[in-house]
Amino acid sequence: MSFLSQIKGAQTLVFGAGVTGKASARFLENYGASVQVIDERSGISGAVPDFSNLSLRDYKFGIVSPGWRLDNPLVASAKANGVNIISEIDLAWRVKQELNPNQIWLGLTGTNGKTTTVQMCEAMLQTSGKKAKACGNVGETAIENVGDLKNEILVLELSSFQLSWSYEAKFEAVALLNIAEDHIDWHGSFLEYAKAKFRIAEMSKILIANLDDETIEIGLKHVNTPIIAYTLKTPSKGQIGLVENLIVDRAFTQDDAEVIFELQDVTPSIPHNVSNAMAAAGLAICAGAKRHDIAAALANFKVDNHRLQQVAETNGIKWVDDSKATNPHAAQAALHSFERCIWIAGGLAKGADMDSLIKNSTARIKSAILIGTDAHLIANAISKFAPSIPITLIEGELKGIALMREVVDKALGIAEPGDVVLLAPACASMDQFRDYADRGECFAASVKGKISGK
């Protein structure tokens, strides 16, 4: 019996009432399943917070949203009662096998740069005439896109949470961008987090891997999947790399080397963005994109808001929003994009350590303005490794736009011509803002308001 036939009339649990849970529930209901949504948060419309009134033995399937921990007792209870638990990604894979078997899946993961890279790859494929869609952990979910016959190729952004829950999906090619401390509170240790990221290699025919990342370079020794490495250094045979101002392919070509694109095609042409473009190009080539189309797509590509986005420049001072830098690795990349920064940082650290960030970025930080629940972690690291850097700590109950106005006021009192006022928090935002986008928008609005005198 097909999976879709099994769904019809089946009692099904959906764990989580967020974006993924809602999309899964809609799909299941459209195919005739009887769906009960469970969410641990209160006040979620249509969801129950526990199993107290449920007879678990009546349920056949359970779809778990990626934010739920692997050891969650509610999920464990369902498993113990015979509920078949799968992730939304594996649900989408099962459906894809029936409704759209010729659809190609590409995937990628990493601590930082995932969204930019899947969007680059989508643009490269579309410019090559392919009907490609970026989805997964960005934009729409996988389950919302598998049944659309217009989507010949899905380019899936995958988080460590999604990878931890998924076992069935298979990809034509995947990319591993970088691995640095993040979500340690969820995984329990950096080792477990790295293992979750490397699981993507087991799910694919080819792994496109960043050879410049130390953790990835070490981990590749234990990977059995065929590997194509990319590097910002001169490439060896079988690699993609940088030769002067050219990104050169020595992996997919029968010739000794072919140019894929030039540095000037990438905006901004800073190291981590060029590295992301290499990964996207490798994936796109695996799905049939032409090199000249890859270069054309990059020349027209613009990164999303809140990623090194300059929101203003006045009196020789640049104001830059990189609110998407929600972990130390991303913040370090942002800091290293400029020479002298008034650095705005802080929020929820998610268990990450700030020591390496400060040690590696001391020369780029002129002054630090710190906010949020874990501001003290950053302040302690600065005091320990860079005590000469002045710290301004914003304490109190301010949140949202009121907080950012205070932050911008402080920055205006410090910044001089030639400085960059950089919002790159190294932390999540939910203690003081709705999300990272809200944080960035509050920053931009406050900057523009102060500069215009409003």
Side-chain angles (χ1 to χ4, degrees):
M1 183 185 295
S2 74
F3 177 67
L4 291 176
S5 297
Q6 294 177 57
I7 287 175
K8 188 172 183 180
Q11 295 275 81
T12 305
L13 295 169
V14 172
F15 296 88
V19 173
T20 300
K22 288 176 180 176
S24 298
R26 282 195 301 269
F27 177 87
L28 293 164
E29 287 171 346
N30 287 341
Y31 275 83
S34 176
V35 177
Q36 175 63 64
V37 178
I38 296 174
D39 200 279
E40 295 178 294
R41 299 167 293 173
S42 61
I44 303 297
S45 177
V48 297
D50 56 42
F51 288 137
S52 58
N53 296 316
L54 296 177
S55 174
L56 290 176
R57 296 185 184 281
D58 295 336
Y59 289 86
K60 186 171 184 179
F61 297 106
I63 314 301
V64 62
S65 297
W68 287 57
R69 293 175 62 96
L70 296 175
D71 59 358
N72 186 282
L74 303 182
V75 179
S77 295
K79 285 183 177 179
N81 280 273
V83 181
N84 181 5
I85 302 291
I86 62 172
S87 70
E88 177 264 339
I89 296 297
D90 285 347
L91 169 65
W93 178 256
R94 291 186 183 187
V95 172
K96 175 253 187 217
Q97 296 292 80
E98 289 192 44
L99 297 184
N100 205 354
N102 294 323
Q103 188 180 70
I104 294 171
W105 278 24
L106 304 175
L108 68 84
T109 194
T111 303
N112 297 301
K114 296 186 293 297
T115 299
T116 296
T117 309
V118 295
Q119 290 172 340
M120 283 179 171
C121 185
E122 176 190 59
M124 293 170 182
L125 290 165
Q126 289 177 350
T127 303
S128 281
K130 309 289 185 180
K131 295 174 182 177
K133 181 70 176 291
C135 59
N137 198 44
V138 58
E140 296 178 348
T141 61
I143 194 61
E144 292 173 287
N145 285 280
V146 286
D148 189 344
L149 297 180
K150 296 193 298 293
N151 294 329
E152 298 173 335
I153 303 170
L154 295 189
V155 188
L156 284 99
E157 175 184 326
L158 298 166
S159 70
S160 60
F161 304 158
Q162 288 170 310
L163 291 168
S164 294
W165 279 110
S166 300
Y167 295 91
E168 299 180 19
K170 302 297 179 186
F171 296 84
E172 191 70 21
V174 295
L176 185 52
L177 306 182
N178 43 65
I179 302 177
E181 279 201 359
D182 199 14
H183 302 300
I184 306 304
D185 52 349
W186 196 92
H187 290 277
S189 70
F190 178 67
L191 177 60
E192 291 302 314
Y193 173 67
K195 285 181 179 178
K197 290 296 190 185
F198 265 100
R199 288 200 69 248
I200 199 170
E202 304 167 11
M203 305 165 73
S204 181
K205 297 178 182 178
I206 298 173
L207 172 64
I208 314 291
N210 182 2
L211 198 60
D212 298 330
D213 185 280
E214 183 179 1
T215 301
I216 292 176
E217 183 183 20
I218 294 170
L220 289 178
K221 299 172 185 176
H222 307 288
V223 171
N224 295 320
T225 304
I227 298 165
I228 292 173
Y230 61 95
T231 174
L232 292 171
K233 300 173 185 175
T234 303
S236 301
K237 186 67 177 175
Q239 297 179 351
I240 296 170
L242 179 62
V243 179
E244 296 182 350
N245 69 328
L246 304 175
I247 305 317
V248 172
D249 170 21
R250 298 195 66 198
F252 296 99
T253 177
Q254 294 184 356
D255 300 325
D256 183 59
E258 286 193 35
V259 175
I260 309 176
F261 58 90
E262 300 183 23
L263 284 180
Q264 67 183 21
D265 294 326
V266 183
T267 304
S269 56
I270 52 181
H272 70 272
N273 206 38
V274 175
S275 183
N276 292 340
M278 289 183 184
L283 287 175
I285 290 171
C286 286
K290 307 299 183 185
R291 290 170 184 80
H292 61 86
D293 291 323
I294 288 172
L298 285 172
N300 294 312
F301 183 81
K302 291 181 174 58
V303 296
D304 274 356
N305 294 338
H306 316 300
R307 295 171 177 84
L308 290 178
Q309 181 183 17
Q310 183 170 312
V311 299
E313 181 174 5
T314 184
N315 299 324
I317 301 167
K318 294 181 180 179
W319 300 78
V320 176
D321 167 17
D322 198 44
S323 185
K324 187 68 164 63
T326 58
N327 55 64
H329 185 265
Q332 180 174 309
L335 284 164
H336 285 234
S337 300
F338 307 102
E339 293 295 325
R340 194 172 72 227
C341 299
I342 312 299
W343 180 37
I344 303 166
L348 297 171
K350 300 174 288 182
D353 181 80
M354 299 291 168
D355 288 0
S356 294
L357 166 61
I358 302 305
K359 284 190 287 187
N360 294 332
S361 307
T362 298
R364 308 291 178 135
I365 304 170
K366 174 182 174 180
S367 183
I369 302 172
L370 304 180
I371 63 175
T373 301
D374 291 324
H376 66 281
L377 295 178
I378 303 174
N380 290 343
I382 292 173
S383 298
K384 183 178 179 181
F385 298 105
S388 63
I389 294 176
I391 297 172
T392 302
L393 190 61
I394 309 293
E395 298 181 291
E397 301 298 319
L398 290 177
K399 293 185 178 183
I401 190 71
L403 171 62
M404 270 305 171
R405 284 171 180 155
E406 179 74 11
V407 168
V408 170
D409 267 340
K410 297 295 185 186
L412 280 169
I414 301 169
E416 299 174 320
D419 289 344
V420 174
V421 180
L422 173 65
L423 173 66
C427 293
S429 57
M430 287 77 74
D431 55 337
Q432 295 175 309
F433 303 89
R434 287 194 307 274
D435 49 31
Y436 78 83
D438 180 46
R439 180 169 58 188
E441 288 159 8
C442 287
F443 173 71
S446 299
V447 169
K448 293 171 183 176
K450 294 292 181 181
I451 288 173
S452 67
K454 295 181 181 178

